[in-house]
Amino acid sequence: MNQNPFASTHSLDTNPFDDPQPSAAAATQAKLDELRRREQDLERREAELNNKAEHIRRHGRNNFPPFFPLIFHSIQDEIPETHRPLITRIFQLWLVLLGTLVINVVACIIILIAGSPSGGSDLGASLGYLIFISTLSFLLWYRPIYNGYMKEQALYYYLYFFFCGFHLLFSIYMIIGIQGTGSAGLIQTIRAFGSHSWVSAVFGLLATIGWTVQGVGLAYYYREIWMHHTAAGHTMEKAKGELATHGAKAYFTRG
């Protein structure tokens, strides 16, 4: 009878100290299992992306531009699923830019025919814009952000921010439409309406709307991309390291 109290006391003394040990060990093990699971998931995703890139490298064919394919361009195949809608919108805005450049040339031709004293300068500059802006915009800000979301490397984001920033300023310049600058923008459109040159006025209005739509759209997504870039932790130091490691050739490769 005397032994039972001591046995009971011993039981009461040891339980509070013994119980937390397996609990703490279980929590630690659960954390390790979760980290291991995440690591395996990342490795699996990386392997899938590498296999996909290798498949495209081996079997993909240059498909852009359609009339003279020089590069492989496929948002569906190269951009992660979560970012496909954004890159699709950016590409659509680039197509709006391309259409606006064509309309701008047509408007400047009509302005020249209508007898504008600066019609020759407008037409020459508009043709230059069509050739150079369409090409440089694709290479200097669309392709970098396409590569940025495909490879998630800081260097491409900084290229995009720099050159797309200049393009946004250029869009404002083209919206204004100063006579002799190659833009059938707002000022040229108002002059055409005032002189009852209805055809040039309509094309000038279409060009102005086009410059505005692509400019406002790109400004909106510029902010969205900046937020993603910040959240991803990209820095100028990382960009410099990527340039030193991969060099300029990474711009032209899919790996």
Side-chain angles (χ1 to χ4, degrees):
M1 296 291 293
N2 292 336
Q3 291 179 353
N4 289 336
F6 290 103
S8 176
T9 304
H10 177 73
S11 176
L12 291 172
D13 290 340
T14 56
N15 284 340
F17 294 97
D18 292 342
D19 289 343
Q21 292 178 359
S23 176
T28 303
Q29 186 61 42
K31 289 181 179 179
L32 290 173
D33 292 341
E34 176 65 17
L35 288 173
R36 194 176 296 112
R37 186 190 64 78
R38 291 185 181 182
E39 184 178 352
Q40 290 173 348
D41 185 55
L42 287 172
E43 290 176 352
R44 178 185 58 79
R45 290 172 59 189
E46 184 178 0
E48 288 177 356
L49 289 173
N50 288 337
N51 290 336
K52 199 171 192 178
E54 180 64 15
H55 176 78
I56 292 172
R57 187 185 69 80
R58 289 177 177 271
H59 305 288
R61 296 181 178 179
N62 293 340
N63 61 357
F64 193 87
F67 55 86
F68 190 70
L70 294 173
I71 62 171
F72 181 81
H73 176 269
S74 176
I75 295 173
Q76 183 67 28
D77 290 322
E78 295 192 299
I79 304 300
E81 185 176 357
T82 54
H83 302 309
R84 285 174 197 163
L86 185 145
I87 297 300
T88 299
R89 297 291 180 271
I90 298 292
F91 182 62
Q92 290 170 343
L93 287 170
W94 182 81
L95 292 175
V96 171
L97 168 65
L98 190 61
T100 302
L101 288 166
V102 173
I103 293 172
N104 187 68
V105 170
V106 175
C108 288
I109 291 173
I110 299 172
I111 289 172
L112 175 63
I113 294 173
S116 171
S118 61
S121 300
D122 283 320
L123 179 58
S126 67
L127 287 170
Y129 296 151
L130 177 60
I131 296 169
F132 292 107
I133 298 300
S134 60
T135 304
L136 293 178
S137 61
F138 186 89
L139 295 176
L140 296 181
W141 59 258
Y142 173 72
R143 191 66 181 176
I145 201 56
Y146 181 97
N147 282 341
Y149 276 93
M150 176 173 65
K151 304 176 184 180
E152 203 57 61
Q153 293 181 357
L155 177 62
Y156 296 110
Y157 287 92
Y158 283 103
L159 287 173
Y160 165 79
F161 291 133
F162 183 79
F163 289 109
C164 190
F166 271 107
H167 177 76
L168 291 174
L169 294 175
F170 177 74
S171 296
I172 295 172
Y173 173 75
M174 295 298 285
I175 289 170
I176 295 172
I178 301 170
Q179 208 170 14
T181 62
S183 168
L186 196 58
I187 294 174
Q188 295 267 51
T189 301
I190 293 172
R191 285 177 178 271
F193 274 115
S195 61
H196 304 293
S197 181
W198 304 115
V199 178
S200 60
V202 168
F203 275 94
L205 181 61
L206 290 174
T208 303
I209 292 172
W211 287 114
T212 303
V213 168
Q214 61 87 39
V216 171
L218 287 173
Y220 173 79
Y221 287 113
Y222 192 97
R223 178 178 175 274
E224 293 288 304
I225 293 168
W226 179 268
M227 291 172 63
H228 168 77
H229 147 84
T230 303
H234 295 309
T235 63
M236 184 61 72
E237 287 71 23
K238 287 179 65 176
K240 291 177 181 177
E242 291 162 4
L243 182 61
T245 303
H246 304 293
K249 68 177 182 179
Y251 179 88
F252 301 99
T253 59
R254 303 188 193 110

